[in-house]
Amino acid sequence: MIRPRRKPSKLATASAPRHNLQPPTVVSNREKAPSRKKSVRLTLWPLVAATFFMVSGGTYGTEDIVHGAGYGKAILILLLTPILWSLPTAFMIGELSSSLPFEGGYYAWVRRAMGNFWGFQEAWLSLVASIFDMAIYPTLFVLYLDRLFPWFAEGHRGVMVALAVVVVCALLNIAGVRVVSTTSLWLFFALSAPFILIVAIAPFKIGALANAVTRPTTSTTDILGGLLICMWNYMGWDNASTIATEVERPQRTYPRAMLAAVVIVALSYIVPVVAMWMTGLFSSAWETGFWADIAGLLGGPLLRVGLALGGMISGFGMFNALVMSYSRLPLAMAQDGMLPQAFGKLHPRSRAPWVAIVVCAVGWAMCLGLGFERLVTIDILLYGASLSLEFIALVALRIREPELPRPFRVPGGMFGAVAVGIAPMLLLGFSIVRSQHEQVLGISSFAFGMMLIAAGVLAYVLNLKLKPAGWAPVAEKP
């Protein structure tokens, strides 16, 4: 029996595979969607700020890297990881986002390069990874809140605060992309200020903290765990691609924003750690949430409060920016007829995909109770699988569509397109080794992750069984 195929005319051809494309004169719903007013489009620096929070959120989250590796090795890891992990990914995203600036970003690239099945798997992996990824940021918010008010560490109070973060960020995103990007820009300045003070004070405190008394650490992170956390701190560059239709001149803006963000993120990690190395503070005292205590030792209680508030801003800002990114995946899939129309419903004023935002927020809230390092391990494993598909899509599109306009290209021709993905894939091998030692629901994180990956295949088959010809694509409103 021949399985009915989705009709190409009902698909968003921006992301459809080339052999399913209509002639150039036929334009899909998504490609002919009315342009957004200039006032709601993202320009370079708001996009850099949003990307900063999608990837980093500041120096917070680096404490366990120092604990596991020590200062010297931690700085080396923080320096080499963006070169081997972030820059190749940024180059890949620069080419694909400038040549295919469509709603859904990486989902659209993979689907165009390799077809509906792999496009669905890319979206599945990203959304499932987001469930674990997004639970990390409210967790960081609560960790720094506990440094100021230990009362919140008792019972389920921390979980309730984390749930409030999810709700508030969902509401901000329903208000629209401009609200989120402007918020990200101001939050970036707010959380950077305390670290600028630390870097300024440290040269006057050389060796002053060598005998400092700190609270006992509970961190058990080793150097491999530190490397994984560093990879997590430097991942997520592709998240900004899902809002391409809401960016001003994306072909020019995306490559510039990616490269600028890589430099800013790397400096925000490395410079404060170098500054603290000068003070002589033992690296074994570091653990997640420790930056607030460091600030107290270095600059007194006011700076400690500033760092703790900055940590809360960081967790909030990252979650807020990533809601904007992940919610566009169900929207793009609904526009392609791969999910029910409900996921494509837009808010009448802000044009935000409010149904997708609410459904995703419910999923993220369900994982708020998992521990930080366990969340990181699962997140990297699933993210790595989706990133692998994106590097394959880069090469596949070079082969299948050599004449596709590419305002920005990965240098080095076909060799460069292949080589750019080698280092990131080798680093992902470390996550597989580590995931075999972490436990989730009584099984290894690796086995748990493979079950989630396999579930994507099952979800695609069930989706075809329910709607062999595809769900009715969403019609864009004028």
Side-chain angles (χ1 to χ4, degrees), residues 354-389:
W354 68 271
V355 173
I357 290 172
V358 170
V359 172
C360 288
V362 171
W364 298 328
M366 293 172 63
C367 286
L368 290 175
L370 294 178
F372 176 72
E373 191 169 346
R374 186 177 293 110
L375 286 169
V376 169
T377 302
I378 300 172
D379 187 20
I380 292 177
L381 182 63
L382 296 175
Y383 173 78
S386 65
L387 188 67
S388 301
L389 291 178

Side-chain angles (χ1 to χ4, degrees), residues 47-68:
L47 180 60
V48 170
T51 303
F52 175 84
F53 278 107
M54 291 176 186
V55 174
S56 166
T59 314
Y60 305 96
T62 59
E63 298 96 325
D64 279 325
I65 303 173
V66 178
H67 177 94

Side-chain angles (χ1 to χ4, degrees), residues 64 75 107 139 154 160 254 258 279 286 315 323 337 381 463:
D64 279 325
I75 293 169
Y107 151 76
T139 300
E154 300 175 10
M160 297 306 295
Y254 265 107
M258 290 299 105
T279 67
W286 291 57
V323 171
L381 182 63
N463 199 36

